[in-house]
Amino acid sequence: KAGVTQTPRYLIKTRGQQVTLSCSPISGHRSVSWYQQTPGQGLQFLFEYFSETQRNKGNFPGRFSGRQFSNSRSEMNVSTLELGDSALYLCASSLWSGRIADTQYFGPGTRLTVL
Amino acid sequence: GIQVEQSPPDLILQEGANSTLRCNFSDSVNNLQWFHQNPWGQLINLFYIPSGTKQNGRLSATTVATERYSLLYISSSQTTDSGVYFCAVETQGGSEKLVFGKGTKLTVNP
């Protein structure tokens, strides 16, 4: 079974631009979560989607948004990019079988550089 | 919110040595996972272990939920074990999916 895939793997943007990142979960997985990793703040939760609905949201400004499609694929968008948005963005998927918690499987990440 | 603390922050070993990494958390958890982040940034899932003990080859993990800590054991370490090891937890009713510790950076020298 294919793992979580993320595109693109690398991205360079300039301040003020916007960017869209894509994540395809493991087949059959219905929950997708996004995380930002920076050297200063570590790994931080952005948001989680399940059945096209945002279930949880981390403490990030409104410039960060996301959505999930009917096939469970997810996109996240960052508008008006700032230098501090340079980071590794990781996507994770889980089965969400109805248990309280499930194993999270991570994709390879998208490394975003803002100049 | 829940606090996750990992120790030690850095660990340097000679190949063949054993090590223990610790993760303390401040509240009850529904999910606890250990990850290894490789040099390319990918988080590799090692264990899903909200309680109890599991083993996978040279790696094993134990979570004592009542005392709010988890341990990751690496035996007969190899250079390929180098990288950063993260502990992450999920709480019932929490607003965040997974809360990560700051990680333990492991360097295994030949």
Side-chain angles (χ1 to χ4, degrees):
Chain A
K1 186 182 282 191
V4 179
T5 58
Q6 292 186 244
T7 57
R9 294 293 311 280
Y10 301 91
L11 206 50
I12 300 175
K13 292 286 187 178
T14 56
R15 279 179 298 175
Q17 288 187 309
Q18 75 165 17
V19 66
T20 299
L21 311 181
S22 181
C23 171
S24 293
I26 292 172
S27 177
H29 283 196
R30 301 166 65 190
S31 170
V32 174
S33 303
W34 290 88
Y35 297 82
Q36 181 198 64
Q37 185 176 26
T38 60
Q41 299 299 317
L43 277 150
Q44 294 183 286
F45 170 75
L46 280 158
F47 25 66
E48 180 201 6
Y49 287 88
F50 175 78
S51 290
E52 303 178 63
T53 301
Q54 187 179 88
R55 291 182 67 206
N56 289 304
K57 189 177 191 305
N59 189 24
F60 279 82
R63 300 185 297 108
F64 292 81
S65 62
R67 59 177 175 169
Q68 186 180 34
F69 302 94
S70 59
N71 61 357
S72 294
R73 189 177 69 87
S74 177
E75 289 181 346
M76 67 163 282
N77 183 275
V78 188
S79 62
T80 319
L81 284 166
E82 301 176 0
L83 295 179
D85 297 333
S86 295
L88 179 66
Y89 290 88
L90 292 161
C91 165
S93 76
S94 66
L95 187 60
W96 206 81
S97 58
R99 297 189 306 173
I100 295 174
D102 282 298
T103 305
Q104 300 288 310
Y105 296 92
F106 281 79
T110 294
R111 193 167 294 278
L112 172 65
T113 302
V114 182
L115 303 176
Chain B
I2 191 168
Q3 304 298 313
V4 182
E5 295 183 358
Q6 291 186 243
S7 59
D10 294 279
L11 188 58
I12 300 174
L13 302 173
Q14 287 300 121
E15 203 167 23
N18 302 328
S19 61
T20 301
L21 282 59
R22 187 177 180 101
C23 172
N24 293 331
F25 44 95
S26 61
D27 202 350
S28 300
V29 299
N30 292 327
N31 177 11
L32 188 147
Q33 290 185 243
W34 283 97
F35 297 93
H36 176 214
Q37 189 167 41
N38 65 23
W40 297 272
Q42 172 125 34
L43 284 170
I44 308 299
N45 182 42
L46 297 177
F47 293 104
Y48 169 86
I49 187 166
S51 64
T53 297
K54 291 186 177 180
Q55 181 158 4
N56 184 4
R58 297 182 295 104
L59 273 59
S60 64
T62 294
T63 298
V64 183
T66 53
E67 298 187 21
R68 299 181 181 170
Y69 73 88
S70 183
L71 302 174
L72 177 68
Y73 306 96
I74 305 174
S75 65
S76 304
S77 58
Q78 301 175 358
T79 55
T80 53
D81 294 332
S82 296
V84 183
Y85 290 80
F86 288 100
C87 166
V89 303
E90 179 180 357
T91 60
Q92 185 174 8
S95 61
E96 301 183 62
K97 189 64 175 176
L98 281 178
V99 178
F100 283 80
K102 294 189 181 301
T104 291
K105 183 178 180 181
L106 175 65
T107 302
V108 181
N109 293 319

